[in-house]
Amino acid sequence: MEKYPLFQAVLRKGLFWFYLEHRDIRAVVKPETEPPCSRLYIPDKKSLLFQASYDKNRINFEVFHALTDGTGAMHFLQELVQDYLILAHPQADLPQIEHAEEITHGDKEEDSFSQYYSSDIPKDKEKKKAAVKLKGEKLVHSDMHVTDVGRILRTFKIKKNVEVTDNGKIII
């Protein structure tokens, strides 16, 4: 966790905006009990913004979107799996993951929005046609469930036989 200090943050609500606050909360890997895509941020609950769980020979890693992008999540997951394998198989003499470029502490906490966004760039006023129009009842964000994801996958014909089990697992 020392290499990823932002993963030790909780989301807090300020007077006008949300902010991340460092906490000394210990991350614990637990057996899978929640369905995929469960809520990570719960208002007024000081909990880490990621979860790592397992079920048989599968590792689940879920991260709140404000914490990191896909690349940061992948680096964290690689190191999580590496550390697990080293602890589980100390006699195997497993190699360390080497990243092509060394990532600095500043890189890990970079705010790309403030770096690349400029209010001076004119906005495109042209109205664009929606790429996809979903039909059906609109749900409140917190009401989305994995079964809805299965319905969406079928709607887009990503795979014809998408199954969602009772415990929320998607079988494609």
Side-chain angles (χ1 to χ4, degrees), residues 149-151 153-154 159-164 170-172:
V149 174
R151 180 179 51 81
L153 289 173
R154 284 191 298 275
K159 289 277 186 174
K160 289 186 179 172
N161 49 348
V162 174
E163 236 180 278
V164 180
I170 299 174
I171 300 169
I172 298 178

Side-chain angles (χ1 to χ4, degrees), residues 81-116:
V81 172
Q82 172 186 266
D83 291 348
Y84 164 75
L85 290 172
I86 289 170
L87 288 171
H89 307 285
Q91 71 286 0
D93 195 32
L94 299 168
Q96 294 284 324
I97 294 174
E98 298 294 330
H99 296 293
E101 72 282 345
E102 188 56 37
I103 301 167
T104 66
H105 183 72
D107 289 339
K108 292 176 192 166
E109 294 187 350
E110 174 191 340
D111 181 3
S112 295
F113 180 79
S114 63
Q115 181 179 350
Y116 296 109

Side-chain angles (χ1 to χ4, degrees), residues 18 20-21 32 45 52 56 77 89 96 114 136 148 166:
F18 289 87
L20 295 172
E21 178 180 85
E32 179 184 275
K45 184 177 181 195
K56 298 178 184 130
L77 180 59
H89 307 285
Q96 294 284 324
S114 63
D148 302 320
D166 291 337

Side-chain angles (χ1 to χ4, degrees), residues 41-56:
Y41 169 66
I42 300 167
D44 300 323
K45 184 177 181 195
K46 294 176 184 143
S47 59
L48 297 176
L49 298 172
F50 73 95
Q51 287 180 355
S53 62
Y54 62 90
D55 183 43
K56 298 178 184 130

Side-chain angles (χ1 to χ4, degrees), residues 131-137 144-164 170 172:
V132 175
K133 294 183 180 177
L134 295 176
K135 294 180 173 41
E137 178 187 354
M144 174 113 176
H145 300 286
V146 174
T147 54
D148 302 320
V149 174
R151 180 179 51 81
I152 291 168
L153 289 173
R154 284 191 298 275
T155 301
F156 294 126
K157 297 182 176 121
I158 292 173
K159 289 277 186 174
K160 289 186 179 172
N161 49 348
V162 174
E163 236 180 278
V164 180
I170 299 174
I172 298 178

